[in-house]
Amino acid sequence: MMNPPELEVRNLHFDLTDDVPRYWHGGKRSITLFYNNLSIFFPAGERFFIAAVKAHAALVDDPLLVQQTRAFCAQEGIHSREHVRYNEMLRRQGYAIEAMEKRVERILARATRRTTARGRLAGTCALEHFTALLAHFVLSEPRLLDGAHPVMASLWRWHAAEENEHKAVAFDVYRATGGGYLERILAMAIATVIFWGKIFEHQIRLMWADRLLFSVSEWYALFRHLFIEPGAMARLFWPYLAYYRPTFHPWELDNRGLLEAWKTELATSVAYGGRPSVSTTDN
């Protein structure tokens, strides 16, 4: 297996103030709501991932994987913090975010009660594969964020980069602690149905709130963005199916070049460090 990139914990803070417009994705309403929709899942989801990985930390004896596990938890903790602030911005805009977050939390609470620690880690592997694939296309297809407010574009690209940086950590912990193939693919099948079902439900709720639910043009704009032009979602299918192979590993999709390009952007772009929108101060 190829050597994974070094995981770096970047304590970035994004200026999610009222200066960010309601339709921050270039005024595109349904597309903005889709990205907002994803953010609703992250705080509770990432807490679930951290708990699932930490539950197996004592069983890991590879020093590199131990180090990666710590960095994974730190990265996910910062992601959760920034998406809590993102969701608070949405709450100020009048969306019923708390109710939607509670639905996500109830699903994860049921999963915690009804599954084993190994099953929760298998679910984490599945959902990390989803987020890594979505994040890969955010990095590889700049048109996905064309016209977006610079703070929001920076936030999504930072999150995408770190999701790819640590995309194999939960998977490697699962394998190192005895996780098997059948449980892994069963978890993916279940996660696929639940995750995309909730995404669709929340998209309906958000579009209803903005009186867009029956707008054919808005649904078409979202469909076009996801499946036609730039159309990254259509390209998820085969990488998604690769997960069901017994020999699958997340780093089969080698996007280290994209990560290095983003690191250069991070070091040089004013969107991350040269203006008050983003800082690297401590918590």
Side-chain angles (χ1 to χ4, degrees):
M1 187 187 76
M2 55 161 282
N3 292 324
E6 181 181 353
L7 273 63
E8 181 181 348
V9 179
R10 305 169 183 88
N11 191 19
L12 297 180
H13 294 253
F14 295 84
D15 186 14
L16 302 172
T17 67
D18 293 336
D19 292 336
V20 176
R22 185 182 188 91
Y23 301 117
W24 55 262
H25 201 300
K28 293 173 276 192
R29 297 180 293 179
S30 59
I31 295 168
T32 298
L33 293 179
F34 178 77
Y35 287 90
N36 293 349
N37 183 355
L38 293 175
S39 181
I40 293 166
F41 289 83
F42 287 132
E46 284 164 343
R47 291 193 297 268
F48 180 88
F49 300 162
I50 291 168
V53 169
K54 278 186 171 180
H56 292 77
L59 303 175
V60 175
D61 54 16
D62 176 3
L64 176 58
L65 188 53
V66 169
Q67 181 182 5
Q68 289 177 331
T69 298
R70 290 177 184 148
F72 169 90
C73 292
Q75 285 186 340
E76 293 288 54
I78 295 170
H79 295 175
S80 180
R81 182 195 70 199
E82 290 306 294
H83 281 279
V84 165
R85 297 177 62 245
Y86 185 151
N87 295 349
E88 180 55 38
M89 178 184 74
L90 300 179
R91 192 175 289 108
R92 292 195 304 270
Q93 292 172 354
Y95 296 106
I97 298 302
E98 185 174 358
M100 286 185 273
E101 286 180 321
K102 286 189 182 221
R103 292 185 187 96
V104 175
E105 289 167 1
R106 282 197 295 269
I107 290 171
L108 296 175
R110 282 197 299 271
T112 299
R113 290 194 306 270
R114 297 177 183 178
T115 61
T116 64
R118 179 68 50 74
R120 294 191 290 278
L121 184 58
T124 296
C125 294
L127 291 165
E128 280 286 293
H129 185 55
F130 273 137
T131 55
L133 290 180
L134 291 167
H136 170 78
F137 289 113
V138 168
L139 294 178
S140 64
E141 183 48 87
R143 291 175 300 170
L144 283 173
L145 291 170
D146 268 356
H149 188 280
V151 170
M152 303 306 293
S154 298
L155 183 153
W156 280 109
R157 286 181 60 76
W158 157 74
H159 193 159
E162 293 194 349
E163 286 299 325
N164 275 280
E165 221 173 39
H166 69 229
K167 65 183 176 180
V169 174
F171 189 93
D172 288 341
V173 170
Y174 178 78
R175 291 202 311 183
T177 56
Y181 170 70
L182 290 178
E183 187 170 26
R184 174 169 71 81
I185 63 168
L186 178 60
M188 174 57 89
I190 294 170
T192 299
V193 173
I194 295 174
F195 178 73
W196 290 110
K198 295 305 289 185
I199 287 285
F200 185 63
E201 176 198 330
H202 284 181
Q203 189 71 23
I204 287 173
R205 291 180 183 277
L206 291 169
M207 291 183 70
W208 171 265
D210 280 1
R211 301 182 180 180
L212 302 174
L213 183 59
F214 301 108
S215 170
V216 174
S217 62
E218 287 295 339
W219 281 108
Y220 177 72
L222 178 59
F223 178 83
R224 180 176 177 79
H225 179 78
L226 296 177
F227 293 98
I228 301 174
E229 184 68 28
M233 196 70 74
R235 285 174 271 160
L236 286 175
F237 184 66
W238 292 113
Y240 162 75
L241 282 186
Y243 191 87
Y244 292 91
R245 284 192 291 99
T247 58
F248 168 80
H249 189 273
W251 278 109
E252 289 175 7
L253 179 58
D254 182 359
N255 53 6
R256 288 174 297 176
L258 291 174
L259 291 174
E260 290 304 314
W262 177 79
K263 289 178 186 178
T264 300
E265 175 189 327
L266 174 65
T268 60
S269 173
V270 296
Y272 292 95
R275 60 200 243 176
S277 61
V278 180
S279 70
T280 55
T281 58
D282 292 336
N283 285 330

